[in-house]
Amino acid sequence: MLWQAGGRTETSRRLRALHDALSTHVPRCLMRWDHWVEMVVPRAHLIQRAFPGLVADFCTDCAGGEPPAGAAIVCFPRSPKPHQAQVEWVHRHWRE
């Protein structure tokens, strides 16, 4: 994670604060980190709104094969993750 990798930048300190604010009760209500961030950063700019067409959803937007033209980010669901996807373009581009 970013806050573990650098640890000394302003961005990593802010992310660490978000992470540390998680209590044991939060995962019972929310399944995803991005839902938590959306709740605690109410005026955050959403990439999907700021740059329409830049972000694609793997299950819906890429179901017919390749990502849509103009997409630069593909979001994956809980399953499959990129390393598990049985799609040639994912294997071609995915780096761990």
Side-chain angles (χ1 to χ4, degrees), residues 74-85:
V74 176
C75 297
F76 284 80
R78 293 181 82 179
S79 179
K81 291 298 183 195
H83 65 280
Q84 300 165 324

Side-chain angles (χ1 to χ4, degrees), residues 4-27:
Q4 295 171 330
R8 292 180 178 80
T9 67
E10 184 61 28
T11 300
S12 63
R13 282 193 292 273
R14 289 180 182 176
L15 289 173
R16 170 52 82 186
L18 287 173
H19 178 268
D20 291 347
L22 283 167
S23 71
T24 58
H25 304 289
V26 172

